[in-house]
Amino acid sequence: MGLNVQLLFLGIVLLFSNSTQAAGTITGDIERQPLNWSAISMFLVFVFATLIISYWASKLTRTSGEFYTAGGQLTGLQNGAAIAGDFMSAASFLGITGLMFVGGFDGLIFGIGAFVGWPVMLFLLAERVRNLGRYNFADVVSLRLEKTSTRIISVFGGIVVVIMALIGQMVGAGKLIELLFGLPYETAVIVVSVLVIAYVSFGGMLATTWVQIVKAILLMFGATVMALLIFINVGFDLNILLEGASSNHPLGEKILRPGILFNDPIQIATIMVSMLFGTLGLPHIIMRLFTVPTAQEAGKSAFYASTFIGYFFLLMILIGFGTSYFLIGNTEYFGVDAKLIGGNNMAAIHLSNALGGDLLAGFMSAVAFATILAVVAGLTVAASAAVSHDLYAQVVCKGKPDPKEELKITRLTTVVVGLIAVSLGILFQHQNIAFITAMPMVVAASVNFPVLFMSLYWEGMTTRGAIMGAMVGLALSLGLTIIGPQVWVATLGFEKALFPYNYPTLFTMPLAFLAIWFFSITDQSERAAADRDNYYSLLKKAEFGN
Amino acid sequence: MSKLSLDQDVLRKIRTRTRRRFAFTTIACLFYSGYLLGYVGLKDLFAQTISPGSYVTVSILFFCFLIVFFIALEFLYLRISIAEGKEK
């Protein structure tokens, strides 16, 4: 999802800002397309199939544990495919392709940033987190620390990430579906929400998992077909593709190297840090590690996920440069204003039309819609677990809830989250949401990741250190984003930003670590001594699972 | 449970695993930060094509290399972990 959120941000930037105009004459604004019946028909087939999956999953989801973790019996391959389905969004497909259409190679930076989170997830977190937790990352953090306060702070960090991600997804969904299907914004938002409520409230994590797996397969299949058609058209010669793309593009061979969209090294560094460490702190991604039975399978999940995601990004090189090769100069895809019809985010769909006609374009549009459903479903499960498991079962009921009541609350929370998602989607419809869609990665990297990492690897961390670190990370993430270009200039209308970077993670994450360290080493309370003592029993369990 | 009460053999195994985790993470982060060099120190190198007459730039090649390299690195890490699990 990290990637989903990030690229939705990019999509929104492409849709709402003038930043792409710097790249030349290729630019575009959002405009609703005519009703696309082939795409709608294929999407209805997907919906029918996934509703059957949800019905099947509902028969197997009888307890809250089964709801949160799909029974914990998925294989590494299944979970890896589901993670890839959660992570490779419509916006990663449409957003990266749109960015490459405008700025060539630079568009790939978000791809590599999100991808590299997975090896690090495997090396540092996957096995230890799986051995320590039950349902989500709050379980892991609260294991050695004072349970109620650390669980509340973990839930708060998780909910902030999920809500901001949901806003980004819903607004992005409304806009993209308007573009792809020609459906009104509100209809799109409501359709997404109703379907997600149906998947999640009945089938829980099991239905969500299979929706994500089906979607991952469809997306990779569609991208593979597009890449193959591109290769066939250029005689399986990458040089011909790149030569044609650069000769068509107004910026020429510059699109084949870094530097068109991004020039400031610190901006690039802070984007790279946000993408990498944000991925490691996303609650709904970490939650997926508990759907497999062992730590080894959790490790395999991360490996399979990165294999699928890596393959997808390799295809994006062909598809991204393919847009310049096949679209530029083809008047069929440009309006009278010389802009790409529907805006730059439509580059991938136009390319699929150029390569495979209405059939392929309809298929890829349907996949984009399906993708949004899969991502929102993952977020909804995470939000439901945070409320019903962490707040209700662990905080309110002190770890001894009535199982039937917990499941009922979980399902009710799902419906409430769905309604909130619709409301936020409509509320933020006309707002500049670029900063909100960038926030989940920044908050995840600056709040969730430092606390999770230190609880796993530092003997000295105390409850006070964890809480202060999370608060410092959250306050700085919000504060620096507000005085940064996206809010201070683009939203509030000031002339110059007080903080120059859109992604403050390069600064906020180290300061969160520093706060954890400082407030832990200065903590001489009895609780602190117990926190430190707990570390070694946790360490043994983290590595050996018992 | 304190550090001293942990079996020394268990502690040694944990330390070995932890060192491995950090070694692999360091390798991944070093190569990842190499991507930044395309925008600063090695800008000219990353802008070059891989051979005369080719349009494939070092930056595109490096992107592909990173993806394949990271998957290979993960595969190696998993093999080591699985082999260690079997020994146990």
Side-chain angles (χ1 to χ4, degrees), chain A residues 105-106 108-109 111-116 118-120 122-125 127-128 238-239 242-243 246 253 256-259 262-263 265-266 268-269 271-273 275-277 296 299-300 302-304 306-307 309-311 313-314 317 321 453 457 459 532-537 539-540 542-544, chain B residues 1-7 9-11 13-15 17-18 20-26 28-29 32-36 38-40 43 46-49 51 53-68 70-78 81-86 88:
Chain A
F105 177 81
D106 274 353
L108 291 169
I109 191 171
I112 198 70
F115 172 74
V116 82
W118 288 99
V120 180
L122 167 62
F123 305 146
L124 286 183
L125 300 184
E127 293 155 313
R128 283 195 174 192
L238 183 62
N239 249 336
L242 296 178
E243 183 187 6
S246 56
E253 289 179 26
L256 305 178
R257 47 187 187 248
F262 306 107
N263 257 323
I266 297 178
I268 295 157
I271 288 172
M272 289 173 69
V273 168
M275 297 303 291
L276 165 55
F277 294 104
Q296 202 174 77
K300 285 182 187 172
F303 170 73
Y304 285 121
S306 55
T307 304
I309 296 166
Y311 170 72
F313 285 130
L314 287 176
I317 295 177
F321 287 117
F453 177 81
Y457 287 98
E459 171 187 359
R532 292 181 188 114
D533 271 356
N534 287 342
Y535 177 70
Y536 282 94
S537 57
L539 188 59
K540 191 180 171 195
E543 284 295 352
F544 301 106
Chain B
M1 180 186 279
S2 72
K3 186 176 180 177
L4 291 173
S5 62
L6 253 186
D7 183 292
D9 191 43
V10 168
L11 198 57
K13 280 181 184 167
I14 291 172
R15 281 187 180 141
R17 286 186 182 192
T18 306
R20 188 191 310 140
R21 292 182 193 286
F22 281 97
F24 274 83
T25 302
T26 306
C29 288
Y32 179 49
S33 59
Y35 198 82
L36 186 63
Y39 292 86
V40 278
K43 203 168 182 173
F46 275 67
Q48 280 177 17
T49 56
S51 64
S54 170
Y55 283 83
V56 180
T57 55
V58 172
S59 44
I60 294 173
L61 190 69
F62 189 63
F63 177 86
C64 299
F65 163 76
L66 279 184
I67 287 183
V68 175
F70 285 142
I71 292 172
L73 200 63
E74 286 182 81
F75 183 73
L76 177 66
Y77 177 88
L78 267 182
S81 296
I82 291 168
E84 191 184 59
K86 280 180 184 165
K88 190 178 78 172

Side-chain angles (χ1 to χ4, degrees), chain A residues 230-263:
Chain A
I230 290 169
F231 247 160
I232 289 169
N233 273 284
V234 297
F236 292 94
D237 189 338
L238 183 62
N239 249 336
I240 293 177
L241 173 68
L242 296 178
E243 183 187 6
S246 56
S247 63
N248 284 352
H249 201 285
L251 294 170
E253 289 179 26
K254 282 184 184 171
I255 63 166
L256 305 178
R257 47 187 187 248
I260 292 179
L261 298 177
F262 306 107
N263 257 323

Side-chain angles (χ1 to χ4, degrees), chain A residues 374-447:
Chain A
V375 174
V376 176
L379 287 167
T380 306
V381 172
S384 303
V387 173
S388 58
H389 170 61
D390 290 313
L391 289 184
Y392 173 74
Q394 298 300 320
V395 176
V396 177
C397 301
K398 305 287 180 200
K400 292 173 185 167
D402 173 19
K404 280 185 181 170
E405 195 63 21
E406 187 182 353
L407 186 59
K408 201 168 34 171
I409 286 179
T410 306
R411 289 193 158 126
L412 185 66
T413 309
T414 303
V415 177
V416 172
V417 170
L419 295 175
I420 290 173
V422 170
S423 312
L424 291 175
I426 291 171
L427 190 68
F428 281 84
Q429 181 181 358
H430 301 295
Q431 304 298 314
N432 180 338
I433 64 149
F435 72 97
I436 293 173
T437 48
M439 280 304 290
M441 294 302 263
V442 177
V443 173
S446 309
V447 181

Side-chain angles (χ1 to χ4, degrees), chain A residues 187-529:
Chain A
T187 309
V189 167
I190 291 168
V191 166
V192 168
S193 205
V194 167
L195 286 171
V196 167
I197 288 172
Y199 295 149
V200 180
S201 61
F202 291 110
M205 181 61 103
L206 189 58
T208 302
T209 298
W210 282 102
V211 169
Q212 289 169 342
I213 290 173
V214 170
K215 171 250 146 163
I217 292 169
L218 291 176
L219 182 60
M220 282 194 290
F221 172 75
T224 303
V225 168
M226 285 179 70
L228 266 178
L229 290 172
I230 290 169
F231 247 160
I232 289 169
N233 273 284
V234 297
F236 292 94
D237 189 338
L238 183 62
N239 249 336
I240 293 177
L241 173 68
L242 296 178
E243 183 187 6
S246 56
S247 63
N248 284 352
H249 201 285
L251 294 170
E253 289 179 26
K254 282 184 184 171
I255 63 166
L256 305 178
R257 47 187 187 248
I260 292 179
L261 298 177
F262 306 107
N263 257 323
D264 179 349
I266 297 178
Q267 179 75 288
I268 295 157
T270 197
I271 288 172
M272 289 173 69
V273 168
S274 303
M275 297 303 291
L276 165 55
F277 294 104
T279 302
L280 302 179
L282 291 170
H284 61 289
I285 291 291
I286 293 171
M287 195 174 172
R288 291 225 57 96
L289 297 174
F290 304 112
T291 61
V292 291
T294 63
Q296 202 174 77
E297 287 299 316
K300 285 182 187 172
S301 305
F303 170 73
Y304 285 121
S306 55
T307 304
F308 293 133
I309 296 166
Y311 170 72
F312 177 72
F313 285 130
L314 287 176
L315 296 181
M316 290 308 292
I317 295 177
L318 300 175
I319 293 170
F321 287 117
T323 55
S324 297
Y325 185 95
F326 289 96
L327 299 184
I328 297 177
N330 189 339
T331 52
E332 194 183 333
Y333 301 108
F334 288 84
V336 286
D337 54 359
K339 292 176 181 174
L340 199 63
I341 295 170
N344 295 324
N345 282 331
M346 286 292 280
I349 302 299
H350 289 321
L351 178 63
S352 61
N353 185 274
L355 294 167
D358 287 343
L359 185 69
L360 187 58
F363 179 77
M364 294 312 296
S365 299
V367 168
F369 200 163
T371 289
I372 291 163
L373 291 177
V375 174
V376 176
L379 287 167
T380 306
V381 172
S384 303
V387 173
S388 58
H389 170 61
D390 290 313
L391 289 184
Y392 173 74
Q394 298 300 320
V395 176
V396 177
C397 301
K398 305 287 180 200
K400 292 173 185 167
D402 173 19
K404 280 185 181 170
E405 195 63 21
E406 187 182 353
L407 186 59
K408 201 168 34 171
I409 286 179
T410 306
R411 289 193 158 126
L412 185 66
T413 309
T414 303
V415 177
V416 172
V417 170
L419 295 175
I420 290 173
V422 170
S423 312
L424 291 175
I426 291 171
L427 190 68
F428 281 84
Q429 181 181 358
H430 301 295
Q431 304 298 314
N432 180 338
I433 64 149
F435 72 97
I436 293 173
T437 48
M439 280 304 290
M441 294 302 263
V442 177
V443 173
S446 309
V447 181
N448 301 351
F449 173 67
V451 174
L452 181 61
F453 177 81
M454 294 295 251
S455 75
L456 292 173
Y457 287 98
W458 188 42
E459 171 187 359
M461 188 169 86
T462 66
T463 301
R464 188 178 77 160
I467 290 170
M468 291 305 292
M471 286 168 64
V472 166
L474 186 63
L476 287 174
S477 301
L478 293 172
L480 292 182
T481 302
I482 288 169
I483 61 171
Q486 286 172 6
V487 179
W488 203 251
V489 178
T491 307
L492 299 178
F494 290 101
E495 197 174 322
K496 196 169 178 229
L498 301 175
F499 179 76
Y501 305 110
N502 288 329
Y503 300 81
T505 313
L506 190 63
F507 309 93
T508 54
M509 189 179 76
L511 288 169
F513 274 110
L514 192 66
I516 292 173
W517 171 78
F518 177 76
F519 288 103
S520 293
I521 61 161
T522 54
D523 187 356
Q524 303 304 326
S525 63
E526 277 183 30
R527 179 66 242 179

